[in-house]
Amino acid sequence: RYRCESLGQQCEFINPGTNKELCVAMNPNDVVSPRISPWNEILSPGYKYTEANENGFKILKNDNECLQEYTPVIFGIKTDEPSQCKIDTMHKAKFDEMSDYFGDSNLYEYNHSMAFNMPSDESLLAQVNESYWLNQTEIEQIRAIMTNSYGNLSFFARCKDKKGNWNLNEYAIRACVKPGPDLTPPVIMKISPDENSYLA
């Protein structure tokens, strides 16, 4: 921290106490939200991003087929400045209203990735029907959306920089899901605690 802050008043030490510590130059007049783009290198083998633009992208298999149900896929986004990113399956008006941090990380980073196991539409509908935090009207609205977009999934992402600027327009990540029997064995995606980490 001392070495970073000694470089100048605009230098700030972020993510202290983690393995993602960074020393970044902060523009005091920054009023621009982070610019989001696909992170190509992290995408699972056998998949590709299509229709990529400033508003989002779509994930397909290399043969242009939809993703198979129950198949785990790793994907990600990049930002042009260290940012916190959030993701949601529903439209939200503000960054703070969105439900989850991208990849379960609230650190300020350039690269953000997450693993997602493509669910079946039936399993999503079952989760909605069993949601105790939703009222009946909300459940019916979500079921109508899912029924009308059968086989299609959409995620909505936003990112916020250290100055609190976040993109007003959601960044859409879309995928289509191909139905089929669950023939895929479980895959261990993460262990907790992390390897070589310390416990109290």
Side-chain angles (χ1 to χ4, degrees), residues 89-90 119-129 131 134 138-154 177:
T89 55
M90 298 182 66
S120 66
D121 285 303
E122 291 81 3
S123 67
L124 287 173
L125 284 170
Q127 290 180 34
V128 170
N129 291 337
S131 299
L134 297 174
E138 291 172 323
I139 290 175
E140 292 302 325
Q141 289 174 343
I142 295 172
R143 291 188 69 201
I145 292 170
M146 293 178 62
T147 301
N148 293 333
S149 60
Y150 187 83
N152 295 304
L153 289 175
S154 293
V177 182

Side-chain angles (χ1 to χ4, degrees), residues 31-50:
V31 294
V32 179
S33 63
R35 190 169 61 197
I36 306 172
S37 60
W39 184 8
N40 293 303
E41 297 79 8
I42 199 66
L43 184 62
S44 294
Y47 299 89
K48 63 181 180 180
Y49 300 129
T50 66

Side-chain angles (χ1 to χ4, degrees), residues 46-85:
Y47 299 89
K48 63 181 180 180
Y49 300 129
T50 66
E51 304 174 23
N53 56 46
E54 67 276 9
N55 298 315
F57 57 79
K58 186 175 183 179
I59 305 173
L60 288 175
K61 294 172 68 175
N62 282 342
D63 58 6
N64 292 320
E65 289 290 324
C66 293
L67 284 59
Q68 187 68 43
E69 285 180 349
Y70 309 106
T71 303
V73 178
I74 297 174
F75 61 92
I77 56 176
K78 298 191 296 185
T79 51
D80 63 345
E81 58 181 321
S83 310
Q84 282 183 335
C85 293

Side-chain angles (χ1 to χ4, degrees), residues 5-192:
E5 294 176 350
S6 68
L7 296 174
Q9 291 184 347
Q10 295 183 13
C11 293
E12 185 169 344
F13 186 65
I14 61 175
N15 305 327
T18 72
N19 62 352
K20 301 288 180 69
E21 294 176 340
L22 289 173
C23 183
V24 296
M26 305 296 291
N27 180 356
N29 301 315
D30 181 13
V31 294
V32 179
S33 63
R35 190 169 61 197
I36 306 172
S37 60
W39 184 8
N40 293 303
E41 297 79 8
I42 199 66
L43 184 62
S44 294
Y47 299 89
K48 63 181 180 180
Y49 300 129
T50 66
E51 304 174 23
N53 56 46
E54 67 276 9
N55 298 315
F57 57 79
K58 186 175 183 179
I59 305 173
L60 288 175
K61 294 172 68 175
N62 282 342
D63 58 6
N64 292 320
E65 289 290 324
C66 293
L67 284 59
Q68 187 68 43
E69 285 180 349
Y70 309 106
T71 303
V73 178
I74 297 174
F75 61 92
I77 56 176
K78 298 191 296 185
T79 51
D80 63 345
E81 58 181 321
S83 310
Q84 282 183 335
C85 293
K86 281 190 168 185
I87 192 166
D88 207 311
T89 55
M90 298 182 66
H91 292 285
K92 299 291 175 63
K94 300 179 181 179
F95 177 87
D96 291 335
E97 294 175 356
M98 303 181 78
S99 60
D100 300 301
Y101 283 101
F102 205 104
D104 292 329
S105 172
N106 65 348
L107 300 180
Y108 289 89
E109 302 181 70
Y110 288 99
N111 300 325
H112 311 263
S113 67
M114 65 182 295
F116 188 75
N117 198 43
M118 291 301 152
S120 66
D121 285 303
E122 291 81 3
S123 67
L124 287 173
L125 284 170
Q127 290 180 34
V128 170
N129 291 337
E130 296 170 4
S131 299
Y132 60 86
W133 61 89
L134 297 174
N135 62 45
Q136 192 59 39
T137 302
E138 291 172 323
I139 290 175
E140 292 302 325
Q141 289 174 343
I142 295 172
R143 291 188 69 201
I145 292 170
M146 293 178 62
T147 301
N148 293 333
S149 60
Y150 187 83
N152 295 304
L153 289 175
S154 293
F155 304 96
F156 305 102
R158 281 195 177 97
C159 296
K160 181 175 72 172
D161 64 19
K162 202 76 167 87
K163 289 291 184 181
N165 304 309
W166 48 271
N167 50 305
L168 297 177
N169 296 327
E170 297 164 313
Y171 192 82
I173 301 169
R174 295 168 290 120
C176 59
V177 182
K178 182 180 179 181
D182 183 8
L183 303 176
T184 307
V187 176
I188 298 173
M189 305 296 294
K190 180 176 175 60
I191 60 171
S192 181

